[in-house]
Amino acid sequence: MFESAELGHQTDKATFESEVPALRAALLDAQFELLDLRRFAVVVLINGIDGAGKGETVNLLNEWMDPRHIQTWAFDVPTEEESARPFMWRYWRALPPKGKIGVMFNNWYTEPIRERVERSSKRGEFDQHLAEILRFEEMLVREGVLVVKLWFHLSRAGQKKRLKDLEKDPKTRWRVTERDWRFYDLYERYREVAGHALRLTSTGDCPWTIVDGSDPRFRALFVGRTLLEALQKRLAIAQRNWVSRQTAAPLPPQIDNLNLLNALQLRQEMDKRSYADQLERLQGRLALLTRDEAFAQRSLVLVFEGADAAGKGGAIRRITSALDARQYRIVPIAAPTEEERAQPYLWRFWRHLPGHGKAVVFDRSWYGRVLVERVEGFCSEADWMRAYAEINDFEDQLVRSGSIVVKFWLAISKDEQLERFQAREAEPHKRFKITEEDWRNREKWDDYARAVCDMVDRTSTEIAPWTLVEADNKYFARIKILRTLCQALESALGA
Amino acid sequence: MFESAELGHQTDKATFESEVPALRAALLDAQFELLDLRRFAVVVLINGIDGAGKGETVNLLNEWMDPRHIQTWAFDVPTEEESARPFMWRYWRALPPKGKIGVMFNNWYTEPIRERVERSSKRGEFDQHLAEILRFEEMLVREGVLVVKLWFHLSRAGQKKRLKDLEKDPKTRWRVTERDWRFYDLYERYREVAGHALRLTSTGDCPWTIVDGSDPRFRALFVGRTLLEALQKRLAIAQRNWVSRQTAAPLPPQIDNLNLLNALQLRQEMDKRSYADQLERLQGRLALLTRDEAFAQRSLVLVFEGADAAGKGGAIRRITSALDARQYRIVPIAAPTEEERAQPYLWRFWRHLPGHGKAVVFDRSWYGRVLVERVEGFCSEADWMRAYAEINDFEDQLVRSGSIVVKFWLAISKDEQLERFQAREAEPHKRFKITEEDWRNREKWDDYARAVCDMVDRTSTEIAPWTLVEADNKYFARIKILRTLCQALESALGA
């Protein structure tokens, strides 16, 4: 893995000075093409051994290119806000928008490797973490992001020399800490763990490039050319207006007419009085649960999906009226904003994740990817097919970080929807108006039904199951939702 | 101040139940009109005595209106990220976009009042803080935000009764803390301090409304109607497509042709060799200063303004190449994004403020308001006239929170600009292309010059002075900028 990088590559001054001007010009050209196109973002990961010139190299890249369009992030110990959310949250926040380059020091590889070197994680946990990283990077690539992964390496002797040299110079002494020397003592262990990580996470789409860090001129040219080549290749593809040629594996065939939705008995009995009684009791239960001490260290992520006029808004209000206004936020999902369109699909949901003791209710959600975007053809088949796994990963991260994820699909019959549309159209209040789009969606009823069934089959997991709610009777639906929510909270909080 | 609110208002059940339906419908209508128009945002401040029903009332508003378009914020002890930035930063982050309602508990009034009650701030400091709040709210109003300020009040006996009642019920017991009782002991003091704050911050545009909190039905109707009336009045204005009728006081007349810019000797001598020497020395000095221990608790906000082709980018690169890539970010200011356009003008700068030990370089800045927006007529005269004071307030907050603010205007002659434009047009690289807009801006040279002089006169302050940089010679300009920056850092860090 590290063999070539330990050969002691060197570049003499004359070669360096003759090559740099053309390299700089080419990098700058590529950067401006990237900016003009605004079709993809670039993420550069900077990892490796301390003292191998990571900081200097990034400084140099900033000098060679236009630093106004490079965003550099260095992650330290997680802050309060970061600790309350999944591990990847702070990296999602730092993703560069299309057209920009994001350089990340101490990124998602740093902690897993450090923990494994210090043996505070087991081999199995480490491999699991690496597998998650792989899936995350694969998602980035599919979303169009160019990921360049650089590993700065030094031989053991080389590292010692670098640290000593830095310590000698008063201008650089501040950069060598005790932690660096402690890590130096673990050199062999570190090399072994890193080698393992690099092997498991070098893929065709996101290979690692190992940089021999011993000679500043060599590594500068080497990194500059690596980045330039990656940029130029990706730009050439973007300029040909490239569309993903991935083909998705087919979904299972439909043999008969029985599916999850039409197996439901949509009209369930419940009279107003029984509703009022149960509503009050369940809201009381919910109020106590969300004020439970145990909830202060957890969070709640609620997802509401359903056909138009299925009663999502009404159900959400019955939940929130049992909560303290200070602890929840409702996020209605409509078309993405300009800033959201410049990011991978899930980015706009990550930005709304709740902190400890808080609840976020998504009124429509990331499932739009496999519902409306699939049915309307807003994304390719390959895009929505991969979304099932991406969503499961996302929810898995939520649950592991302490969130309680509860998802509802509100199912109504086509006739019931028609009645509700007509009732709304008779309403004088424009706030309930039915739009052309609502009528158009209705024409695609069967396509949506198919998409819903596939969605439930593929994303109802043991950690975040779907609850299908028979919703022709609003009373019944609301009570079922509240009861399911209370049960989920009780089981999660051990209350 | 609190007299009416201590009369013990009560609403009987029959009246309440007969009035609520119409009130709810009207509130919901107003809310949807707000959302449809998307012309202004609503900020509702919830303050007052603990136990006076603040939480319940907000919960009720959420129940009465559509909670999906209400964002409720409760601020607690500042987090790490918040502490590293000016006091108002977290409130800026929470401002609702146009079309939405933001409800803020424990807002910008809470801390100043608490500190004064506990005598940890002096009367003079308190009044100063209130004056700043006044200016902030005035800015919100001018930016179109509807600010509704509600103060929930109880008599001393009333507060005691409420706290006792809450404690008796197991469902509400969790809400009474020791802090509430400690505050109760300070009732008279609190009433006096609050009365003072309310008097000084009740203005024609943002008056306080005092809510008698003793009877839940009365206070619910009272708050609902207050909010409804405020919304309806503001909506009526927004629908008439209202433009601010404020007239600005005139700027001083121009009597002769002498101004700040043409008093400068734009072409200064500096040869390449002397430049290279000084550059290296100054960059070394800057590198050490930004790695100084004292800087770890401060931050740096750099502002670059200047005519097109004045050399901002080149000067910025000479600074950043002395910094560690992990510690700075360059924010190039172009047209605001969709999310930024839905917020008050300064919002998009607040979101980029640096944390401790970090630097942010603004390549163009909030001064666009009094430069391009003034000259091109993108905002009204009243808008840019008030911007001078708003900007001074903003920078004052930055400086008081520990930021070092350094601002440069790069001045070049009209002839020099022409030469640089022509040189750029001869360049094969499109990254330096001159646009139509650049040529158009050039035609307004005198208008821009006037705007720059006014800007410097009004915003060069003892805490954040402007440095005018003679920039016809790039070498000279870069050295002057680096030297000024080093001196500013040295003086601020006591280095």
Side-chain angles (χ1 to χ4, degrees), chain B residues 242-272:
Chain B
W242 174 82
V243 203
S244 162
R245 297 230 178 292
Q246 315 149 43
T247 46
L251 286 162
Q254 273 182 298
I255 304 292
D256 57 18
N257 223 353
L258 183 66
N259 67 30
L260 284 171
L261 290 179
N262 60 30
L264 293 175
Q265 175 55 45
L266 295 179
R267 178 156 306 276
Q268 299 277 345
E269 291 306 309
M270 179 161 305
D271 59 43
K272 193 163 182 180

Side-chain angles (χ1 to χ4, degrees), chain A residues 30-39 99, chain B residues 430-431 433:
Chain A
Q31 191 190 11
F32 273 77
E33 215 172 302
L34 171 71
L35 197 64
D36 274 354
L37 277 175
R38 267 178 221 278
R39 289 248 180 83
Chain B
K430 67 174 172 185
R431 61 176 187 262
K433 70 177 175 245

Side-chain angles (χ1 to χ4, degrees), chain B residues 180-471:
Chain B
D180 293 323
W181 283 113
R182 212 168 56 238
F183 241 81
Y184 169 72
D185 290 337
L186 292 168
Y187 183 90
E188 288 307 329
R189 169 95 187 139
Y190 185 72
R191 190 178 187 284
E192 181 199 316
V193 170
H196 179 74
L198 267 56
R199 177 171 61 78
L200 290 190
T201 56
S202 256
T203 62
D205 282 329
C206 306
W208 277 101
T209 300
I210 300 185
V211 182
D212 178 351
S214 54
D215 177 56
R217 287 190 291 261
F218 172 82
R219 77 177 176 232
L221 282 186
F222 185 83
V223 169
R225 289 230 190 100
T226 302
L227 181 58
L228 176 63
E229 206 178 304
L231 272 169
Q232 287 177 333
K233 267 178 71 177
R234 187 67 184 74
L235 283 165
I237 292 170
Q239 266 159 341
R240 287 201 308 270
N241 229 326
W242 174 82
V243 203
S244 162
R245 297 230 178 292
Q246 315 149 43
T247 46
L251 286 162
Q254 273 182 298
I255 304 292
D256 57 18
N257 223 353
L258 183 66
N259 67 30
L260 284 171
L261 290 179
N262 60 30
L264 293 175
Q265 175 55 45
L266 295 179
R267 178 156 306 276
Q268 299 277 345
E269 291 306 309
M270 179 161 305
D271 59 43
K272 193 163 182 180
R273 181 153 172 192
S274 151
Y275 165 67
D277 281 356
Q278 295 189 57
L279 182 68
E280 204 191 333
R281 245 183 325 112
L282 285 165
Q283 286 184 332
R285 215 165 118 192
L286 180 58
L288 285 178
L289 281 164
T290 52
R291 273 112 181 168
D292 191 287
E293 264 182 36
F295 186 67
Q297 290 305 310
R298 306 293 294 272
S299 62
L300 177 61
V301 174
L302 276 172
V303 172
F304 281 87
E305 294 281 355
D308 295 321
K312 293 189 295 294
I316 289 171
R317 272 196 296 284
R318 297 315 179 287
I319 288 171
T320 53
S321 65
L323 307 180
D324 186 309
R326 283 162 279 207
Q327 76 178 154
Y328 70 85
R329 173 140 307 129
I330 305 179
V331 180
I333 296 300
T337 67
E338 185 186 334
E339 293 181 36
E340 290 169 344
R341 288 191 302 271
Q343 293 284 358
Y345 178 70
L346 286 170
W347 187 83
R348 64 190 186 118
F349 308 105
W350 276 92
R351 70 195 300 210
H352 294 295
L353 295 187
H356 286 159
K358 306 280 180 182
V360 171
V361 184
F362 287 95
D363 181 356
R364 301 201 190 274
S365 68
W366 44 94
Y367 285 100
R369 187 71 154 184
V370 296
L371 297 172
V372 58
E373 294 197 28
R374 166 183 174 176
V375 173
E376 305 292 338
F378 295 157
C379 66
S380 73
E381 188 181 355
D383 285 335
W384 58 259
M385 273 302 290
R386 68 182 159 87
Y388 297 119
E390 289 164 5
I391 286 171
N392 286 337
D393 270 353
F394 173 46
E395 293 177 358
D396 185 49
Q397 292 179 69
L398 284 174
V399 169
R400 277 187 294 128
S401 79
S403 291
I404 300 155
V405 181
V406 188
K407 309 184 293 199
F408 297 102
W409 174 266
L410 276 66
I412 52 172
S413 65
K414 209 172 169 181
D415 291 344
E416 177 68 23
Q417 189 189 48
L418 183 63
E419 264 177 50
R420 293 189 187 177
F421 276 17
Q422 286 165 344
R424 287 189 181 183
E425 289 198 323
E427 262 275 341
H429 287 105
K430 67 174 172 185
R431 61 176 187 262
F432 289 126
K433 70 177 175 245
I434 296 295
T435 64
E436 278 300 306
E437 208 191 318
D438 293 324
W439 287 108
R440 267 203 309 280
N441 288 342
R442 200 173 141 75
E443 284 166 22
K444 296 184 180 161
W445 186 274
D446 292 337
D447 295 336
Y448 275 102
R450 177 79 206 265
V452 172
C453 294
D454 287 336
M455 170 185 85
V456 174
D457 280 338
R458 283 154 199 281
T459 60
S460 198
T461 58
E462 79 286 9
I463 52 159
W466 275 103
T467 299
L468 301 181
V469 182
E470 303 84 347

Side-chain angles (χ1 to χ4, degrees), chain A residues 82-120:
Chain A
E82 290 166 354
S83 304
R85 293 177 176 82
F87 176 73
M88 292 302 293
W89 185 69
R90 57 180 179 160
Y91 305 114
W92 275 92
R93 289 220 288 176
L95 288 180
K98 286 172 186 162
K100 300 263 179 175
I101 299 173
V103 177
M104 299 194 185
F105 283 94
N106 301 340
N107 43 56
W108 44 86
Y109 284 100
T110 310
E111 279 301 286
I113 290 179
R114 192 187 52 70
E115 283 176 2
R116 185 64 195 133
V117 169
E118 294 173 352
R119 297 185 203 273
S120 59

Side-chain angles (χ1 to χ4, degrees), chain A residues 25 28-29 32-33 36 55 58-59 62-63 65-69 71-74 79-82 93 100 105 171 174 288 291 313 317 320-321 323-326 328-330 332 337-341 351 363 429-431 433, chain B residues 25 28-29 32-33 36 55 58-59 62-63 65-69 71-74 79-82 93 100 105 171 174 288 291 313 317 320-321 323-326 328-330 332 337-341 351 363 429-431 433:
Chain A
L28 207 46
D29 279 346
F32 273 77
E33 215 172 302
D36 274 354
V58 173
N59 284 349
N62 269 287
E63 219 178 301
M65 295 197 277
D66 189 329
R68 290 174 299 180
H69 307 295
Q71 300 171 347
T72 306
W73 297 87
T79 67
E80 217 172 305
E81 298 190 22
E82 290 166 354
R93 289 220 288 176
K100 300 263 179 175
F105 283 94
K171 271 205 279 189
W174 58 274
L288 285 177
R291 272 114 181 165
R317 272 196 296 283
T320 53
S321 67
L323 307 180
D324 188 308
R326 282 162 279 205
Y328 70 86
R329 174 139 308 130
I330 305 179
T337 66
E338 184 185 336
E339 293 182 34
E340 290 168 345
R341 287 192 303 272
R351 70 194 299 210
D363 182 356
H429 288 106
K430 66 175 171 184
R431 61 176 185 261
K433 68 173 176 249
Chain B
L28 208 45
D29 279 346
F32 274 77
E33 215 173 300
D36 275 353
V58 173
N59 284 348
N62 269 288
E63 217 178 301
M65 296 197 277
D66 189 328
R68 289 175 297 183
H69 308 295
Q71 301 171 346
T72 306
W73 297 86
T79 66
E80 218 171 305
E81 297 190 23
E82 290 166 354
R93 289 219 289 176
K100 300 262 178 176
F105 283 92
K171 273 205 281 191
W174 59 273
L288 285 178
R291 273 112 181 168
R317 272 196 296 284
T320 53
S321 65
L323 307 180
D324 186 309
R326 283 162 279 207
Y328 70 85
R329 173 140 307 129
I330 305 179
T337 67
E338 185 186 334
E339 293 181 36
E340 290 169 344
R341 288 191 302 271
R351 70 195 300 210
D363 181 356
H429 287 105
K430 67 174 172 185
R431 61 176 187 262
K433 70 177 175 245

